[in-house]
Amino acid sequence: AFAADTTLYPELQQSGLLTELHQLLLHDNVDISVAVTSVLLEWLDSDLLLDNDDDDDDEAQQTAMIRLSRAVLSEGAELLVENLARAPADDSSDDDVGQGAADTLSLFENMLEIDLVAQTTVFDKSSAAAILCKDTKLISWLLGQIRDSSPLQNRSVELLSYIAPREDIYESLNDWSLIPSYTSSFAASKATTESTLDGVEILLQVVAKFRKR
């Protein structure tokens, strides 16, 4: 019902349901956190902004989507990025539960698209991309997937291509040769000895593969 009617979105925040869902992202059962991500992805479907044929409702719909997206960004983005350390990154996920890391990347893509479609500088001086770069280690996780040629390498490159054009991200990431390494409370046993990643070198290596073809 919520996904079909964006006018109900304010109820998600007023009722406290959204906060409870964010808390479930930390649940010991990874399937629960994956399912929560899948629900958020359904609610923040950027196509909903394009499906409304009633111009009178368009502004209210955009406002509802923007506010919900911003609430997830401010309260849940860091948790979502932390969960990437344990969310399935391949096709082993149960479709009835969610698609793990792939759903998380799709959710971030939708937030960025909502940011562009609705021009969300009205509610916050920072773009969604800038918030993700400042408050989370999403960029270092994406670069790690690209460097390691993971199953989500192409998706990671695509998401980076959405983020990189936003000028305000460089206020917090002004040197891509020294990106702080990805860390997560769910990956303590896999802690890396690297304190930074050379994002420039990683991306140049990706480009070099295509130049050789």
Side-chain angles (χ1 to χ4, degrees), residues 2 7 61 80 95 109 122 125 128 139 183 196 201:
F2 280 114
T7 61
Q61 186 178 46
L80 287 163
D95 287 339
E109 287 177 7
V122 174
K125 292 182 179 180
I139 296 298
T183 56
T196 61
E201 180 62 25

Coordinates of all heavy atoms in Angstrom, one line a residue, residues 2 7 61 80 95 109 122 125 128 139 183 196 201:
F2 N 1.9 1.2 0.9 CA 2.8 2.4 0.9 C 3.5 2.7 -0.4 O 3.6 3.8 -0.9 CB 3.9 2.2 2.0 CG 3.4 2.5 3.4 CD1 3.3 1.5 4.3 CD2 3.0 3.7 3.8 CE1 2.8 1.7 5.6 CE2 2.5 4.0 5.1 CZ 2.5 3.0 6.0
T7 N 1.4 9.4 -1.0 CA 0.8 10.3 0.0 C 0.8 9.7 1.4 O 0.6 10.4 2.4 CB -0.7 10.7 -0.4 OG1 -1.5 9.5 -0.4 CG2 -0.7 11.3 -1.7
Q61 N 3.7 14.7 -4.5 CA 4.3 13.4 -4.6 C 5.9 13.5 -4.6 O 6.5 12.7 -3.9 CB 3.9 12.8 -6.0 CG 4.4 11.3 -6.1 CD 4.0 10.7 -7.5 OE1 4.1 11.4 -8.5 NE2 3.4 9.5 -7.4
L80 N 23.2 0.9 5.9 CA 23.1 0.2 4.7 C 24.5 -0.1 4.1 O 24.8 -1.2 3.6 CB 22.3 1.0 3.6 CG 20.8 1.1 3.9 CD1 20.2 2.3 3.1 CD2 20.1 -0.2 3.5
D95 N 15.1 -14.7 -3.8 CA 14.3 -13.7 -4.4 C 13.1 -13.2 -3.5 O 12.7 -12.1 -3.6 CB 13.7 -14.1 -5.8 CG 14.8 -14.2 -6.8 OD1 15.8 -13.5 -6.7 OD2 14.6 -14.9 -7.9
E109 N 21.0 4.1 -6.1 CA 20.8 4.7 -7.4 C 19.4 5.4 -7.5 O 19.3 6.5 -8.0 CB 20.8 3.6 -8.5 CG 22.1 3.0 -8.8 CD 22.1 1.9 -9.8 OE1 21.0 1.6 -10.3 OE2 23.1 1.2 -10.0
V122 N 16.0 22.0 -2.4 CA 15.0 22.8 -1.6 C 15.1 22.4 -0.1 O 15.0 23.2 0.7 CB 13.6 22.5 -2.1 CG1 12.6 23.1 -1.2 CG2 13.5 23.0 -3.6
K125 N 21.1 21.7 1.5 CA 22.1 22.3 0.6 C 22.9 21.2 -0.1 O 23.5 21.5 -1.1 CB 22.9 23.3 1.4 CG 22.1 24.5 1.9 CD 23.1 25.5 2.6 CE 22.3 26.7 3.1 NZ 23.2 27.6 3.8
A128 N 22.3 14.3 -2.5 CA 22.3 12.9 -1.9 C 23.7 12.3 -2.1 O 24.1 11.6 -1.2 CB 21.2 12.1 -2.6
I139 N 32.0 5.0 -1.2 CA 33.0 5.1 -2.3 C 34.1 4.1 -2.2 O 34.5 3.4 -3.2 CB 33.5 6.5 -2.4 CG1 32.4 7.5 -2.7 CG2 34.6 6.6 -3.4 CD1 31.8 7.3 -4.0
T183 N 35.5 0.0 6.0 CA 35.4 -0.7 7.3 C 34.0 -0.9 7.7 O 33.1 -0.2 7.3 CB 36.2 0.0 8.4 OG1 35.6 1.3 8.6 CG2 37.6 0.1 8.1
T196 N 44.2 3.4 3.2 CA 43.6 4.2 2.1 C 43.6 3.3 0.8 O 44.3 2.4 0.7 CB 44.3 5.5 1.9 OG1 45.7 5.2 1.5 CG2 44.3 6.4 3.1
E201 N 44.1 5.2 -9.3 CA 44.8 4.1 -9.9 C 43.8 3.0 -10.2 O 43.9 2.3 -11.3 CB 45.9 3.6 -9.0 CG 46.7 2.4 -9.5 CD 47.5 2.7 -10.8 OE1 47.8 3.9 -11.0 OE2 47.7 1.8 -11.5

